[in-house]
């Protein structure tokens, strides 16, 4: 069984039941280490003091916030601990909103929400109610020393949750706009025909990271001492 990233009670109104959160997705990539070109020994990063022009130990480092150009206020770890929210044991639903009102741009990390022992029936009730009503739940929870607003939505097998970007984290780009008055009716009809000709069911298993697969094959060939050819 996958390890949970959060465990507690989901509450709304007078209803409360135990749940667990599991990571639902993660990006996959191939990482490399930096080596010295001459002897292939692994190098390590060095923290360097610009004013003294010499490397310094990590024990000599402190956090600083730049409030003006080249002006810093020192922030101690204890200062951060005092204001950081402790991981809570309660996830509180604040409100329910129409599913079509939630722009996907606000959705960040994804988690599976599973019922813990004794919470199976109220969990199933909430899942079915969300699915039939086409509503999402907006909830608040503190985990990993940060307070999150999350979206709870019904998936194909259970409830999914997504941490949500805050409004001030969404970039507003003035150039990002569309002038639909430029489109003529005949051009729109042609575009619709093109869409219709490429219509298909969404099957994510069809898509693969071909670059990562080719990179892995190249690495395996290198290990086996074979000649690497262009893909």
């Amino acid at each position: 069984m996958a390890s949970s990233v959060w465990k507690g009670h989901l509450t709304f109104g007078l209803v409360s039941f135990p749940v667990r959160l599991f990571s639902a997705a993660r990006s996959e990539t191939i990482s490399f280490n930096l080596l010295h070109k001459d002897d292939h020994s692994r190098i390590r990063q060095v923290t360097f003091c610009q004013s003294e022009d010499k490397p310094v130990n990590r024990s000599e480092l402190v956090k600083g916030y730049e409030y003006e150009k080249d002006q810093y206020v020192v922030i101690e770890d204890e200062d951060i601990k005092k204001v950081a929210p402790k991981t809570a044991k309660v996830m509180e639903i604040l409100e329910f909103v129409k599913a079509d009102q939630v722009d996907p741009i606000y959705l960040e990390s994804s988690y599976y929400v599973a019922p813990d022992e004794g919470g199976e029936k109220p969990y199933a009730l909430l899942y079915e109610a969300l699915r039939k009503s086409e509503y999402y739940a907006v909830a608040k929870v503190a985990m990993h020393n940060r307070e999150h607003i999350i979206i709870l939505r019904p998936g194909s097998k259970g409830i999914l949750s997504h941490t949500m970007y805050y409004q001030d984290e969404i970039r507003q780009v003035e150039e990002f706009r569309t002038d639909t008055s430029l489109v003529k009716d005949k051009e729109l009809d042609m575009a619709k025909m093109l869409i219709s000709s490429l219509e298909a069911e969404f099957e994510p298993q069809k898509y693969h990271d071909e670059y990562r697969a080719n990179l892995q094959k190249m690495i395996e060939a290198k290990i086996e001492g074979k000649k690497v050819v262009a893909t």
Side-chain angles (χ1 to χ4, degrees), residues 5 21-27 109-113 159-162:
V5 298
L21 295 188
F22 303 92
S23 293
R26 65 180 182 183
S27 60
S109 301
S110 301
Y111 300 92
Y112 294 121
V113 183
I159 298 175
L160 300 174
S161 72
H162 308 272

Side-chain angles (χ1 to χ4, degrees), residues 118-167:
E120 292 83 358
K121 184 172 181 178
Y123 175 93
L125 178 61
L126 176 61
Y127 167 72
E128 193 68 358
L130 291 174
R131 194 172 67 87
K132 292 291 181 64
S133 66
E134 297 184 350
Y135 270 78
Y136 289 172
V138 181
K140 180 172 67 173
V141 66
M143 60 180 180
H144 306 149
N145 294 324
R146 184 182 174 187
E147 188 173 79
H148 295 274
I149 298 298
I150 64 173
I151 300 294
L152 299 172
R153 67 177 183 87
S156 59
K157 297 180 180 180
I159 298 175
L160 300 174
S161 72
H162 308 272
T163 53
M164 194 183 85
Y165 287 112
Y166 291 101
Q167 179 64 48

Side-chain angles (χ1 to χ4, degrees), residues 39-149:
D39 59 8
H40 292 174
S41 61
R42 187 171 174 177
I43 67 169
R44 62 184 180 88
Q45 292 182 332
V46 177
T47 51
F48 203 84
C49 177
Q50 293 181 344
S51 63
E52 297 182 9
D53 193 27
K54 69 175 186 179
V56 295
N57 294 325
R58 290 193 174 274
S59 60
E60 301 177 58
L61 305 181
V62 294
K63 294 182 176 70
Y65 178 80
E66 187 177 23
Y67 63 94
E68 290 181 4
K69 179 66 174 176
D70 296 329
Q71 298 294 314
Y72 300 89
V73 58
V74 174
I75 306 296
E76 303 288 350
D77 289 340
E78 287 300 319
D79 297 326
I80 297 176
K81 289 180 181 179
K82 289 178 182 178
V83 299
K86 295 181 180 179
T87 297
K89 293 299 182 182
V90 174
M91 180 189 302
E92 180 187 3
I93 292 180
L94 305 175
E95 56 192 6
F96 294 91
V97 298
K98 279 286 190 182
D100 58 9
Q101 293 180 350
V102 180
D103 191 328
I105 197 173
Y106 285 96
L107 305 184
E108 190 183 9
S109 301
S110 301
Y111 300 92
Y112 294 121
V113 183
D116 213 347
E117 185 177 355
E120 292 83 358
K121 184 172 181 178
Y123 175 93
L125 178 61
L126 176 61
Y127 167 72
E128 193 68 358
L130 291 174
R131 194 172 67 87
K132 292 291 181 64
S133 66
E134 297 184 350
Y135 270 78
Y136 289 172
V138 181
K140 180 172 67 173
V141 66
M143 60 180 180
H144 306 149
N145 294 324
R146 184 182 174 187
E147 188 173 79
H148 295 274
I149 298 298

